[in-house]
Amino acid sequence: MQRYTFKLIDGFKGKGKNVESTGIVDNRLLSFVTKNVSDEGVLFKSNKINNNGKPIYRTPYREAEYKGLTITYTENDNYRVKGSIHKYYNDGLHNYNDFSEIICKTTIVKLCKEFQIDPREFILENLEIGINFLPPIKTNCILDLCYFHSTKPFESKYDNKSGRYIQSVHSQYIIKIYNKALQYSSKGYKIEEDIMRFEIKFIVMEKLNNLGIYTLADLLEFDFSRFKSLLIKEWCKVFFFDKRVMNMDSFNQRYASIIYWKELLQRNSKSAYYKHRRKLNEYTLEN
């Protein structure tokens, strides 16, 4: 059985200058609407005021949706593209199937050609890397038992028949784990196996800049296999309580409670938190 589906790059956001040098503005594939302006041509006010106490108006921009992407540009000729490169590959329909490095890079090249974007001039602002895989146990069982990423607790973003998704928010990135199969089964797709996704969403590009990734051109030149160690490193920071191997005596009953671990952290006792995490890890490995 193929247990891993190749899907490292998905969501991205980036910007470029001089939209007139691209094929965006007059592209027949794009239906633009004007934002931050009323039908009468009046600018919308922001919640801010200037030094004279007068309201600051929002900057008008043009926006179009296309195959899982949102494309915008402003009067000063700056433009942005954001969305799912995987959905773009699938004509905006879904992003649960295989999406290898070769297919991803070919899709990026297609995007740049379709809208005449110079990848060397397109600066990446956000990027998601992750993997879809067939888990050894049910995805929801795993999500139930992921307590923390490092010392940041996982929070449930949604949990219903349409999907199950938890995340842990850090200053530069967000760890996201979710039930990919449930997400698309609820939309009518026939998915017979569990698919779990583990993902790092970089909201600040510093870590990826350190790897030499600044632009789309850099991403095209990058060896995606180098993301493997990064994903494993972040997964190893996940506090996963594997209750299947636990003899639920008083020792493990205490460790099974997320409240216990949160209280350790609330007492500013990270040393005690990590000490007991090591004990739990040792017990898990022994069993």
Side-chain angles (χ1 to χ4, degrees), residues 241-253 283 287:
F241 184 84
D242 193 347
K243 66 179 181 181
R244 299 170 305 163
V245 302
M246 296 299 172
N247 175 11
M248 296 305 289
D249 53 21
S250 58
F251 171 85
N252 287 316
Q253 285 179 3
Y283 184 93
N287 291 275

Side-chain angles (χ1 to χ4, degrees), residues 74-273:
T74 58
E75 291 180 351
N76 62 6
D77 282 347
N78 292 335
Y79 68 94
R80 274 190 169 85
V81 182
K82 66 178 181 179
S84 167
I85 193 68
H86 192 177
K87 281 188 178 180
Y88 170 74
Y89 168 72
N90 287 312
D91 292 328
L93 298 176
H94 64 80
N95 62 350
Y96 71 81
N97 61 337
D98 284 2
F99 195 53
S100 68
E101 177 176 354
I102 292 174
I103 296 175
C104 179
K105 289 181 176 180
T106 302
T107 305
I108 292 172
V109 170
K110 176 188 174 185
L111 172 67
C112 291
K113 286 183 176 179
E114 189 161 33
F115 298 110
Q116 299 170 40
I117 293 171
D118 186 343
R120 298 168 298 180
E121 303 296 328
F122 189 86
I123 307 298
L124 289 167
E125 299 175 293
N126 296 163
L127 191 67
E128 295 175 348
I129 67 169
I131 188 168
N132 295 352
F133 62 97
L134 310 181
I137 61 174
K138 292 294 184 182
T139 300
N140 285 351
C141 293
I142 296 173
L143 297 180
D144 285 339
L145 301 172
C146 290
Y147 288 179
F148 296 88
H149 180 264
S150 189
T151 58
K152 299 286 186 177
F154 279 102
E155 57 184 66
S156 176
K157 296 303 292 181
Y158 54 79
D159 182 3
N160 51 48
K161 63 181 181 180
S162 298
R164 180 99 186 270
Y165 162 36
I166 62 174
Q167 70 175 26
S168 178
V169 180
H170 298 263
S171 60
Q172 292 195 356
Y173 61 95
I174 301 171
I175 299 296
K176 301 164 70 175
I177 313 177
Y178 50 97
N179 190 327
K180 178 64 75 172
L182 181 59
Q183 178 186 8
Y184 279 100
S185 295
S186 67
K187 297 179 180 180
Y189 290 91
K190 187 177 181 180
I191 304 175
E192 298 178 349
E193 297 177 299
D194 247 22
I195 303 175
M196 176 173 155
R197 178 154 178 85
F198 180 74
E199 177 179 287
I200 311 170
K201 179 177 181 179
F202 290 97
I203 52 179
V204 176
M205 289 293 292
E206 181 181 353
K207 291 181 183 294
L208 293 180
N209 288 166
N210 291 338
L211 295 176
I213 301 174
Y214 295 86
T215 68
L216 270 183
D218 297 327
L219 192 59
L220 288 171
E221 295 294 327
F222 193 78
D223 180 359
F224 285 10
S225 67
R226 294 176 62 190
F227 288 137
K228 178 181 177 180
S229 59
L230 185 58
L231 286 163
I232 292 173
K233 178 181 178 182
E234 296 304 325
W235 169 255
C236 287
K237 295 179 184 178
V238 173
F239 183 154
F240 175 72
F241 184 84
D242 193 347
K243 66 179 181 181
R244 299 170 305 163
V245 302
M246 296 299 172
N247 175 11
M248 296 305 289
D249 53 21
S250 58
F251 171 85
N252 287 316
Q253 285 179 3
R254 177 182 60 174
Y255 280 3
S257 170
I258 192 171
I259 296 174
Y260 168 77
W261 299 99
K262 285 182 175 181
E263 287 178 346
L264 285 181
L265 292 171
Q266 287 168 357
R267 293 200 300 263
N268 293 319
S269 182
K270 285 189 177 181
S271 60
Y273 169 82

